[in-house]
Amino acid sequence: MSYSTADSLRHVTLDDVRGAQKMLAGVARVTAMEGSRHLSQLAGTPVHLKCENLQRTGSFKLRGAYVRIAGLLPEERAAGVVAASAGNHAQGVALASSLLGVRSTVFMPNGAPLPKISATREYGAEVRLHGQVVDETLAAAQEYAARTGAVFIHPFDHPDVIAGQGTVGLEILDQCPEVGTIVVGVGGGGLAAGIAVAVKAVRPDVRIVGVQAAGAAAYPPSLAAGHPVTVANPATMADGIKVGRPGDVPFAIIEELVDEVRTVSEDQLSAALLLCLERAKMVVEPAGASPVAALLAEPGAFAGPVVAVLSGGNVDPVLMQRVLRHGMAAQGRYLAVRLRLTDRPGALATLLGVLSAVDANVLDVSHIRTDPRLGLAEAEVELHLETKGPAHCAEVGHSLREAGYTVID
């Protein structure tokens, strides 16, 4: 199942996906399908989580990478493969190449998280750091392919890759045959396109909903225009779906088969990641949490049963810490307060007593005494508090004002 450049725009078929499934037997895991009582209650219909975050290498990317590399001709394998990625695709190509005995070189941006760089090397790839953004890294990988003859493995814009990702759809039909809606994150579109090919061929009544981060949403304007459109400077914490232009091959499929593409905000992504961790006990990266974010944004909009695809779990610990704090803030569980008080011994202890009385947990305190706006005997204090939600935040603010403190908005 190998395609030349000339027929690279050819549609992927159900037979292609079934062939990929046979090829992946014993290579990719059939990942678990977990029910979510919390999301089911919110949506008013059964909600299940397809846990590709538990796939080998931590994401669905192994599926497409393996099928693409396994389909290479012997002389192409001998030349080796090259890829460009900030993380998930890099690891998928590295492991797939090692399993198939093919030499791999992966270009990654200089800012790629260290755990992803280390994992890609451990899976057997030669890692080369180049550029500050993925577009620069991609150009370097393509130049390397032209110079050395290595086969460039695109993360989403190739029929073999889409067929491999489509095996997720076949598993969903096996694990939840009554599924009514499948919600899946969309970057370049390979996963959503593959799932749509597999599912619509068997169950055309199933609704396929794609989800993009609002700051990197190239599909809505592309679908409106009828052709791929480039979004300048895509920006989102969800690096797994931060793609500025849809792939030509997945775009044609998504335009035909995907019912809707929605967008979610950064706050909604943070809240979804937090929910996955707290309620589903799942470590999920922001891109993988995007379907859950869509459910949280409008829980009654999806006909059930609903399957949300958790596409990956490769989240940098530093980013995880920031995102979780952001998610807790979005839920009203963090509160930053600035106020003025008399600069005298015991003033801070009195303030902390007021906060203790309303059960607010103080995480951090900082003093400012030299600002020209302050009076001679005044100090400004900024506190970061852990709270129990919006109502508790309002109670804290009310208690501070009742105690005579000037709260600065």
Side-chain angles (χ1 to χ4, degrees), residues 140-275:
Q142 290 172 327
E143 186 277 330
Y144 177 89
R147 176 167 49 84
T148 66
V151 179
F152 179 68
I153 307 299
H154 201 284
F156 50 81
D157 205 14
H158 194 282
D160 285 357
V161 172
I162 293 170
Q165 321 305 29
T167 58
V168 175
L170 295 181
E171 290 178 17
I172 290 172
L173 291 177
D174 286 341
Q175 294 168 317
C176 185
E178 71 280 12
V179 60
T181 303
I182 298 172
V183 191
V184 55
V186 178
L191 178 60
I195 288 174
V197 167
V199 172
K200 290 288 190 177
V202 180
R203 289 274 314 279
D205 58 305
V206 174
R207 186 170 177 81
I208 310 292
V209 178
V211 183
Q212 292 208 286
Y219 265 91
S222 297
L223 292 169
H227 59 82
V229 171
T230 300
V231 173
N233 302 316
T236 174
M237 71 176 78
D239 59 350
I241 53 175
K242 188 170 72 173
V243 177
R245 182 187 184 278
D248 292 326
V249 183
F251 176 81
I253 296 170
I254 287 174
E255 185 179 39
E256 178 184 349
L257 297 179
V258 171
D259 297 280
E260 178 187 4
V261 176
R262 292 174 167 244
T263 62
V264 292
S265 69
E266 299 298 283
D267 282 352
Q268 288 163 344
L269 286 168
S270 297
L273 189 146
L274 182 62
L275 183 143

Side-chain angles (χ1 to χ4, degrees), residues 93-395:
V93 168
L95 179 57
S97 299
S98 293
L99 293 173
L100 291 164
V102 177
R103 185 179 71 258
S104 64
T105 303
V106 176
F107 284 77
M108 303 181 76
N110 283 296
L114 291 177
K116 293 185 178 182
I117 295 172
S118 176
T120 303
R121 286 186 173 131
E122 288 176 9
Y123 286 129
E126 177 189 347
V127 174
R128 299 192 180 190
L129 301 179
H130 183 91
Q132 300 301 319
V133 296
V134 174
D135 286 345
E136 295 173 356
T137 309
L138 181 63
Q142 290 172 327
E143 186 277 330
Y144 177 89
R147 176 167 49 84
T148 66
V151 179
F152 179 68
I153 307 299
H154 201 284
F156 50 81
D157 205 14
H158 194 282
D160 285 357
V161 172
I162 293 170
Q165 321 305 29
T167 58
V168 175
L170 295 181
E171 290 178 17
I172 290 172
L173 291 177
D174 286 341
Q175 294 168 317
C176 185
E178 71 280 12
V179 60
T181 303
I182 298 172
V183 191
V184 55
V186 178
L191 178 60
I195 288 174
V197 167
V199 172
K200 290 288 190 177
V202 180
R203 289 274 314 279
D205 58 305
V206 174
R207 186 170 177 81
I208 310 292
V209 178
V211 183
Q212 292 208 286
Y219 265 91
S222 297
L223 292 169
H227 59 82
V229 171
T230 300
V231 173
N233 302 316
T236 174
M237 71 176 78
D239 59 350
I241 53 175
K242 188 170 72 173
V243 177
R245 182 187 184 278
D248 292 326
V249 183
F251 176 81
I253 296 170
I254 287 174
E255 185 179 39
E256 178 184 349
L257 297 179
V258 171
D259 297 280
E260 178 187 4
V261 176
R262 292 174 167 244
T263 62
V264 292
S265 69
E266 299 298 283
D267 282 352
Q268 288 163 344
L269 286 168
S270 297
L273 189 146
L274 182 62
L275 183 143
C276 287
L277 187 63
E278 287 190 329
R279 305 304 295 265
K281 314 307 177 192
M282 289 286 174
V283 175
V284 183
E285 62 191 89
S290 59
V292 175
L295 284 166
L296 293 177
E298 194 174 353
F302 305 93
V306 177
V307 173
V309 182
L310 305 183
S311 58
N314 290 319
V315 57
D316 178 44
V318 175
L319 176 63
M320 170 72 87
Q321 184 180 42
R322 285 169 34 212
V323 170
L324 289 179
R325 292 193 67 139
H326 187 79
M328 292 180 74
Q331 291 187 350
R333 292 165 59 184
Y334 276 134
L335 177 64
V337 178
R338 283 193 306 133
L339 49 82
R340 290 180 184 173
L341 72 167
T342 303
D343 191 12
R344 58 176 175 76
L348 181 58
T350 302
L351 170 61
L352 296 179
V354 173
L355 294 171
S356 177
V358 290
D359 204 23
N361 185 33
V362 179
L363 300 174
D364 188 43
V365 179
S366 62
H367 280 83
I368 299 174
R369 292 186 171 90
T370 57
D371 195 298
R373 298 170 301 163
L374 298 173
L376 184 62
E378 284 186 320
E380 187 174 294
V381 177
E382 182 172 342
L383 304 104
H384 290 182
L385 310 173
E386 184 179 8
T387 57
K388 301 173 183 177
H392 191 208
C393 289
E395 181 186 355

